[in-house]
Amino acid sequence: MKIHEKIIETILFICAAIATLSVLLITVFIFKEGLPVLKSYGVFNFIFGKTWSPTNEQFGALPMIMGSISVTLGALVIGVPMGIACAIFLAEIAPKSVVKIFKPAVELLAGIPSVVYGFFGLAVVVPIIRTNILPIIQKFNPDANTSGYSILGGAIILAVMILPTIVNISENAIKAVPFEYKQGSLALGASHFETITKVIIPAAKSGIITSIVLGMGRAVGETMAVILITGNMPKVPGSVLDSVATLTGTIAMEMGYAGPMHQRALFATGIILFVFIMMLNIIASTTLKRVGRG
Amino acid sequence: MVNNTKIKVRNLNLFYGEHQALIDVNMDIMKNKVTALIGPSGCGKSTFLRTLNRMNDLIDGVKIKGDVLLDDVDIYGNESDLINLRKNVGMVFQKPNPFPKTIYENVAYGPKIHGIKKKSELDEIVEKSLKGAALWDEVKDRLDKPALGLSGGQQQRLCIARCLAVEPDVILMDEPTSALDPISTVKVENLLDELKAKYTIVIVTHNMQQAGRVSDYTSFFLNGKIIETDLTENIFSNPRDKRTEDYITGRFS
């Protein structure tokens, strides 16, 4: 019996160790491969350099950094209000019969492979931007032009992709608000809507913030869909109709044919991505702590 | 006597789906008196209390027949306004349920909802309500602290203050002291005595001594029916019905 338990404990320990070790190994590997370039090229030059031209050994990653930031921000601007609204609807307003249809549908969104999102964006969203949205914008700015492969297209598709994350976690947070709060508010003569906006959402805000941060993580890290939609032009964007390349997309597309120096530069891009996501996590956990106290 | 009736309940029947929880309930609730509702668990006294401010509306599948007249207006009539009803008929729950906001925000919540925006006016209401709930001296220096940091008894008095802040006529209390320690219970009970000068109070309680101490009238509920309603002293010293006597003397199973 004793030996039996010991063996199980050891197996559990090994499994836990493998997970932790993987993180460590990946981190070490990325930094080992990428740091030399950052050192020789200069961190400042790498991060703020505007020209990404691997064949000329010019590795300015600013276009990709701006590309990732702009597509992610765009996705949040579209996806967060929509996701939270959807969560409120599902948790508080919709009758049970409606929830039974809507909720599995939203969950199904999470199961669609990202390349399918990319293809959908390529076949539907990109042409719509080119033929329907561009003329509207040209009325205000005659110089505007776009191929359709753009920040806007990427943001729209990413917004849909992060919806399940935001909707599910926010909905759970809203449902976890004690019924007593709702009851207390209604008993004071508040309407259902006032109760939602003034009591339920404030009480659920830490969960809602978590959902946004996780959605943001997904948007930053998404690769395949973004490659197909954003046009992959390593250029600092001037408008939402411009094509951009993202950090992830560039790594995925160029790694296959990259020479040694170029490859290291791509690893350095990976470091930036890594630091980016770490910062997101730190921001998330500190805001959570602050919110939790209030 | 007739003019002193605040709430009239006539032939009230309530169903949870198939199950009938209240059967032909008739009752007059007197103005500026404390009316206690007693009876064994599941007898319908809390359900009855919740019909008086329509909190049962929140539960799916509830059907109500009969009349509840507040100041001679049917609260279930079509024209009756739910928000105004709940403003006039406040409620304090069994488990203290302050919002996860500051003490000040908890009390100011109701008045703000009902359109009061001026800070000075809100300050005044908050102070008056907390004084009314005998909590002011304990919290006046920490109004901006989270309400959830208060003790259970303080939280319950905060909930009473929150209720007073919207200036109701009637206060419904659903076993307000069952989650409190004896000292907090005494504080809340003493408070009831002061409050009835201005408010009509209906209190559900499991605690027979409490009903005897705080109420002017007592109704005994059993299996969804009112067995008898009378002055509290009559119910406890000289009940008309055998079942009431069995219950209050503890010979009831």
Side-chain angles (χ1 to χ4, degrees):
Chain A
M1 196 59 183
K2 268 266 161 85
I3 294 171
H4 178 81
E5 279 175 9
K6 196 91 189 156
I7 292 172
I8 292 180
E9 267 181 27
T10 315
I11 292 174
L12 294 180
F13 169 75
I14 290 172
C15 291
I18 287 175
T20 317
L21 217 63
S22 312
V23 175
L24 205 71
L25 276 179
I26 292 175
T27 313
V28 170
F29 180 70
I30 294 175
F31 277 84
K32 191 181 138 267
E33 292 289 317
L35 271 184
V37 173
L38 281 186
K39 239 185 238 156
S40 63
Y41 197 77
V43 176
F44 185 87
N45 289 340
F46 190 85
I47 294 179
F48 294 102
K50 285 186 183 163
T51 322
W52 178 262
S53 177
T55 40
N56 302 322
E57 304 237 317
Q58 284 206 295
F59 303 113
L62 187 66
M64 277 96 76
I65 294 173
M66 292 310 290
S68 277
I69 291 178
S70 58
V71 174
T72 303
L73 275 184
L76 292 178
V77 167
I78 302 168
V80 167
M82 203 154 66
I84 294 175
C86 180
I88 293 169
F89 177 74
L90 288 178
E92 277 295 321
I93 296 165
K96 277 194 190 113
S97 54
V98 174
V99 174
K100 261 190 200 150
I101 301 168
F102 273 54
K103 200 154 181 223
V106 172
E107 274 158 11
L108 205 61
L109 277 183
I112 298 174
S114 61
V115 69
V116 175
Y117 279 102
F119 185 67
F120 176 77
L122 186 75
V124 178
V125 178
V126 168
I128 287 180
I129 291 173
R130 189 168 49 226
T131 56
N132 298 41
I133 295 183
L134 181 63
I136 298 171
I137 293 188
Q138 275 174 335
K139 276 185 193 145
F140 303 99
N141 177 10
D143 298 331
N145 203 358
T146 181
S147 58
Y149 295 95
S150 57
I151 294 174
L152 181 63
I156 291 173
I157 290 297
L158 275 183
V160 178
M161 292 180 77
I162 63 174
L163 267 187
T165 311
I166 294 179
V167 172
N168 279 331
I169 298 174
S170 295
E171 192 206 354
N172 287 338
I174 292 169
K175 278 198 170 152
V177 173
F179 182 67
E180 283 82 8
Y181 293 167
K182 184 178 175 181
Q183 195 168 241
S185 171
L186 292 174
L188 288 168
S191 68
H192 189 188
F193 185 71
E194 286 165 334
T195 302
I196 290 173
T197 54
K198 300 208 168 102
V199 175
I200 294 177
I201 292 180
K205 75 184 160 192
S206 70
I208 292 174
I209 292 172
T210 309
S211 81
I212 294 171
V213 172
L214 289 178
M216 182 152 51
R218 171 137 206 231
V220 172
E222 177 48 41
T223 310
M224 203 58 223
V226 167
I227 287 179
L228 291 173
I229 303 166
T230 57
N232 306 305
M233 298 263 284
K235 211 179 62 185
V236 177
S239 92
V240 290
L241 294 178
D242 285 354
S243 293
V244 287
T246 62
L247 294 166
T248 51
T250 305
I251 296 173
M253 294 216 310
E254 297 183 2
M255 198 54 105
Y257 62 83
M261 185 65 183
H262 185 185
Q263 226 175 54
R264 290 210 186 90
L266 290 176
F267 274 108
T269 313
I271 293 179
I272 293 180
L273 195 62
F274 191 87
V275 172
F276 215 72
I277 302 234
M278 287 297 268
M279 276 185 343
L280 270 188
N281 281 336
I282 292 168
I283 292 169
S285 55
T286 49
T287 28
L288 273 188
K289 266 184 218 143
R290 216 179 40 232
V291 170
R293 252 182 267 135
Chain B
M1 193 69 179
V2 175
N3 292 337
N4 285 333
T5 308
K6 183 75 188 171
I7 301 175
K8 269 187 233 163
V9 180
R10 293 292 177 264
N11 302 320
L12 185 71
N13 288 280
L14 182 141
F15 303 83
Y16 289 124
E18 296 289 297
H19 172 70
Q20 183 161 10
L22 293 174
I23 304 160
D24 275 329
V25 172
N26 286 286
M27 193 168 172
D28 286 345
I29 293 168
M30 297 299 160
K31 202 170 181 171
N32 297 109
K33 299 286 180 204
V34 177
T35 304
L37 311 179
I38 60 169
S41 296
C43 66
K45 57 193 188 305
S46 283
T47 300
F48 174 71
L49 189 76
R50 296 164 65 93
T51 59
L52 302 180
N53 67 342
R54 295 183 60 174
M55 285 307 273
N56 286 320
D57 290 17
L58 294 179
I59 299 163
D60 286 338
V62 169
K63 229 172 55 206
I64 291 164
K65 282 186 205 151
D67 300 319
V68 179
L69 306 170
L70 173 69
D71 294 326
D72 292 319
V73 178
D74 184 3
I75 66 168
Y76 284 93
N78 283 336
E79 70 269 55
S80 119
D81 172 359
L82 193 57
I83 284 169
N84 252 321
L85 168 70
R86 290 186 181 148
K87 191 169 173 289
N88 289 326
V89 183
M91 189 164 205
V92 176
F93 297 89
Q94 181 173 1
K95 199 175 131 207
N97 62 342
F99 303 130
K101 299 173 185 282
T102 63
I103 294 169
Y104 182 95
E105 285 301 325
N106 261 280
V107 183
Y109 180 81
K112 274 187 183 169
I113 290 276
H114 297 297
I116 295 172
K117 290 198 185 75
K118 248 170 75 186
K119 178 89 171 76
S120 58
E121 223 174 314
L122 286 170
D123 288 349
E124 209 173 294
I125 293 173
V126 168
E127 180 172 344
K128 203 174 101 195
S129 307
L130 284 170
K131 279 180 176 161
L135 190 61
W136 174 253
D137 290 332
E138 291 163 58
V139 301
K140 64 182 175 208
D141 300 320
R142 46 174 175 152
L143 292 175
D144 57 343
K145 293 282 185 309
L148 296 177
L150 296 173
S151 74
Q154 290 173 324
Q155 287 188 12
Q156 193 62 303
R157 276 178 286 146
L158 178 66
C159 291
I160 294 173
R162 186 174 73 182
C163 175
L164 299 182
V166 296
E167 301 185 326
D169 294 337
V170 181
I171 301 176
L172 309 175
M173 297 187 165
D174 191 354
E175 298 184 41
T177 62
S178 67
L180 305 186
D181 62 81
I183 293 169
S184 303
T185 300
V186 171
K187 283 187 181 162
V188 171
E189 284 182 8
N190 291 342
L191 189 55
L192 288 183
D193 230 28
E194 293 167 30
L195 290 177
K196 75 178 180 187
K198 284 175 72 184
Y199 307 94
T200 302
I201 297 171
V202 187
I203 178 170
V204 165
T205 178
H206 263 305
N207 180 332
M208 224 57 55
Q209 286 80 23
Q210 182 170 66
R213 282 194 299 266
V214 302
S215 70
D216 303 295
Y217 293 89
T218 297
S219 268
F220 174 55
F221 278 72
L222 187 63
N223 298 330
K225 290 183 193 149
I226 292 189
I227 303 302
E228 72 177 285
T229 304
D230 206 336
L231 287 166
T232 299
E233 54 204 60
N234 292 349
I235 289 266
F236 280 90
S237 60
N238 192 13
R240 278 170 285 153
D241 196 290
K242 178 83 170 56
R243 288 167 293 181
T244 313
E245 190 183 342
D246 285 350
Y247 183 71
I248 59 171
T249 53
R251 261 180 289 141
F252 202 85
S253 54

